[in-house]
Structures are given as structure tokens and as C-alpha cells.
Amino acid sequence: MPFEDAFNDHNLELLRRAGTLVYGSRWFSENWHSWSAVAADDTANDRDHEIAGNRHLDRFVRHR
């Protein structure tokens, strides 16, 4: 999907400059598993592997 490609390209550029990621607790729990699966998927493209592999960044998860 072309929009998804542009969106992920843009987000990858943001992630490359980030030092800390801030999440809401719902987003974190729902999406952590999805991106972990992408990281383990040998058929995923290089961009998505890089997005999924940003585990070196500090994270802050906000809980209500």
C-alpha cells in the first residue's frame, strides 16, 4: 500500500533521530507483539526490520 510505505519511511526517519520513545500503555501492549513478529520475520523488508529493531532506544510507557 503506497500510503503505508510513505508513512513507514517517515516514521523510520523520526526513529533514527529519537533518543526516547513515549507510549501509552494500550498502544505499547498491542503493538509490541506486532513489531516483535516483524523483527523475527525473515521475509520482512529492511525498512520494517529497522523499525522493529529499535530496541536500543529508551522507552517510557505511561499508565493511567
Side-chain angles (χ1 to χ4, degrees), residues 12-21 54 56-58:
L12 178 55
E13 288 304 316
L14 294 174
L15 285 169
R16 286 176 175 160
R17 295 185 301 222
T20 301
L21 299 177
N54 275 299
H56 66 281
L57 296 171
D58 291 330

Side-chain angles (χ1 to χ4, degrees), residues 1-20:
M1 172 179 263
F3 174 76
E4 184 176 342
D5 285 338
F7 184 73
N8 285 343
D9 288 343
H10 174 72
N11 285 333
L12 178 55
E13 288 304 316
L14 294 174
L15 285 169
R16 286 176 175 160
R17 295 185 301 222
T20 301

Side-chain angles (χ1 to χ4, degrees), residues 1-51:
M1 172 179 263
F3 174 76
E4 184 176 342
D5 285 338
F7 184 73
N8 285 343
D9 288 343
H10 174 72
N11 285 333
L12 178 55
E13 288 304 316
L14 294 174
L15 285 169
R16 286 176 175 160
R17 295 185 301 222
T20 301
L21 299 177
V22 179
Y23 298 106
S25 59
R26 183 175 298 165
W27 187 98
F28 183 81
S29 64
E30 292 174 2
N31 285 281
W32 183 259
H33 297 292
S34 297
W35 282 108
S36 294
V38 171
D41 183 356
D42 293 336
T43 65
N45 64 46
D46 291 341
R47 179 204 56 218
D48 291 349
H49 270 158
E50 187 175 345
I51 292 171

